[in-house]
Amino acid sequence: MKTLLHLTSSIFGDGGQSSRLAAEFVAAQPGAKVIARDLARNPVPHLDAERFGAFLSKPEGRSPAQQRVLEESDALVAELKASDTIVLGLPMYNFGVPSQLKAWFDHVARAGVTFKYTDKGSVGLLTGKQAYVFAARGGLYAGTPKDTQTSYVREFLAFLGITAVKFVYAEGLAISEASKTQSLAAARNALRALVQPETIAA
Ligand SMILES: Cc1cc2nc3c(=O)[nH]c(=O)nc-3n(C[C@H](O)[C@H](O)[C@H](O)COP(=O)(O)O)c2cc1C
């Protein structure tokens, strides 16, 4: 059975446009086991030196507080490892990814666990997974240098070994009602085109 990690990062929860698209994609995967994680509703704390220190701590010298941090991170990593498919709702806020998503990134990037350093550079350890990203934006950025999100998210996932990543964009949502309607319809078409081969392959 296919396992999907469904990540929501809109501050508007299920009502966010990125959330709705991601949820529609997940709903179109019959029979899949879904691990749902809403990063806005249940935020991962921001990484600080204390928390990062817990990642580096040796079991024998680990404090109870460090152990708790490690367990939180381990739980997030376990969800990723257990999934064949990652479905991410990705809003743009102030030209970047939601800080809640960045905090999650900071807790799943773990040396020796999700990536490792070698003589030839870093190697991602989470291979063989497919990711789908549903990006919602007020303005228009896709395919231009202003789209910092796509390269950043792609690069981060690749760092962990997740190189098969497909993006669907709903853009221009704040430009006008007509632009919003048209963009959401185009995003749904792109979504359906992604679902079709998946369903056939399953
Ligand atoms: C706090 C905030 C900041 C935003 N910043 C941007 C931005 O920098 N560029 C942009 O195109 N849209 C921006 N928007 C519009 C959102 O990208 C748009 O509302 C989108 O639907 C957000 O995804 P969501 O509905 O899944 O939360 C912003 C919206 C909010 C609430």
Side-chain angles (χ1 to χ4, degrees), residues 2-202:
K2 198 153 95 171
T3 302
L4 262 77
L5 176 58
H6 177 189
L7 293 167
T8 303
S9 66
S10 169
I11 55 174
F12 306 111
D14 296 340
Q17 298 295 353
S18 64
S19 313
R20 289 185 198 184
L21 290 167
E24 275 177 40
F25 182 80
V26 170
Q29 309 289 325
K33 179 184 171 195
V34 179
I35 302 171
R37 182 159 285 275
D38 186 331
L39 298 168
R41 194 176 295 159
N42 297 304
V44 177
H46 280 149
L47 188 64
D48 57 18
E50 214 172 296
R51 296 181 76 83
F52 186 64
F55 297 169
L56 303 179
S57 63
K58 299 264 179 291
E60 56 277 13
R62 202 167 282 157
S63 70
Q66 287 178 319
Q67 184 60 34
R68 277 195 297 278
V69 171
L70 213 62
E71 282 167 13
E72 281 175 40
S73 168
D74 283 348
L76 301 176
V77 169
E79 291 177 352
L80 252 180
K81 283 190 171 171
S83 305
D84 329 280
T85 306
I86 292 97
V87 182
L88 169 63
L90 178 70
M92 180 180 282
Y93 298 140
N94 298 315
F95 301 94
V97 305
S99 57
Q100 292 89 343
L101 179 63
K102 176 62 164 64
W104 182 83
F105 282 177
D106 288 339
H107 282 75
V108 298
R110 295 260 309 277
V113 180
T114 53
F115 72 93
K116 65 178 178 182
Y117 290 113
T118 70
D119 295 347
K120 296 191 179 83
S122 67
V123 175
L125 300 175
L126 304 181
T127 52
K129 300 184 192 297
Q130 170 79 54
Y132 297 93
V133 180
F134 294 90
R137 291 108 180 248
L140 302 169
Y141 306 87
T144 77
K146 287 188 179 172
D147 182 4
T148 55
Q149 274 189 322
T150 300
S151 54
Y152 170 60
V153 170
R154 204 180 271 289
E155 199 60 41
F156 178 78
L157 293 175
F159 179 64
L160 303 186
I162 305 166
T163 51
V165 184
K166 290 186 176 151
F167 281 78
V168 169
Y169 300 96
E171 292 202 305
L173 301 182
I175 292 176
S176 67
E177 268 311 305
S179 159
K180 181 176 175 179
T181 305
Q182 193 183 19
S183 173
L184 288 173
R188 291 207 160 84
N189 278 340
L191 185 158
R192 276 193 286 272
L194 289 177
V195 167
Q196 203 58 32
E198 282 295 304
T199 312
I200 290 163

